[in-house]
Amino acid sequence: MGQILAIDYGKARCGIAVTDDMRIIATALQTVETKFLMEFLKKYFNKNKVEDIVVGLPTDLRGNLSEVETDILKFIESFKIEFPDIQVHRLDERFTSKMASFFISQSGKSKKQRQEKGLIDKVSATIILQNFLEQRTR
């Protein structure tokens, strides 16, 4: 069984999280500048067996898609061409940034560490992935 990788896609940077090979635990991996995302994924996939990715679906409280969705759809289109054997899933990412900020504030990190935007992106990707794993087991 291969890993599942989650992406919290943003205009400037993307948070990345992965499961273990047994697909039990979601772990924050790193934050990557969006312009280097595909390059990062190529290197990561060469070293690790990834069978699925989950990309956050950015919606507001009314269910309207955010403007970054256009960029996400372009990324997914390119991704499917580059990695046709890896299945792409989408998952509503509403509230993940707020949840990430809350969890980080509760973790005992310093104020400077808590304000690091990349940390929020990584934790958001982890929440997306954990939610995806939980939905699969229902």
Side-chain angles (χ1 to χ4, degrees):
M1 202 180 300
Q3 298 175 346
I4 302 171
L5 181 140
I7 301 171
D8 179 31
Y9 193 98
K11 286 193 177 280
R13 71 193 156 274
C14 299
I16 310 289
V18 294
T19 64
D20 57 308
D21 289 337
M22 298 297 293
R23 297 179 172 201
I24 298 170
I25 300 169
T27 305
L29 183 61
Q30 72 182 77
T31 303
V32 177
E33 286 184 56
T34 301
K35 63 184 174 184
F36 299 122
L37 179 60
M38 196 63 83
E39 179 183 325
F40 168 83
L41 293 174
K42 287 177 188 176
K43 288 178 184 176
Y44 189 82
F45 294 164
N46 279 333
K47 295 178 183 176
N48 300 276
K49 184 178 180 188
V50 176
E51 293 181 352
D52 299 89
I53 69 163
V54 182
V55 182
L57 183 65
T59 55
D60 63 19
L61 291 174
R62 293 190 173 132
N64 299 317
L65 293 171
S66 120
E67 65 181 55
V68 75
E69 178 65 9
T70 303
D71 296 332
I72 293 172
L73 291 174
K74 288 177 188 172
F75 162 75
I76 290 172
E77 190 176 305
S78 298
F79 181 90
K80 286 180 176 181
I81 291 167
E82 188 72 38
F83 306 105
D85 296 331
I86 298 176
Q87 190 168 356
V88 178
H89 306 273
R90 302 298 304 275
L91 189 78
D92 187 342
E93 66 176 46
R94 253 179 284 195
F95 306 117
T96 56
S97 292
K98 287 184 179 171
M99 289 170 60
S101 294
F102 173 77
F103 291 140
I104 292 166
S105 72
Q106 299 298 306
S107 72
K109 298 224 180 267
S110 71
K111 184 175 181 178
K112 185 176 181 181
Q113 289 172 315
R114 289 193 312 262
Q115 291 174 337
E116 180 197 334
K117 293 217 181 256
L119 179 59
I120 291 172
D121 295 330
K122 285 190 293 192
V123 174
S124 293
T126 307
I127 293 168
I128 291 167
L129 185 51
Q130 188 63 48
N131 289 342
F132 179 77
L133 291 173
E134 289 170 7
Q135 285 185 7
R136 289 178 54 131
T137 59
R138 290 182 192 161

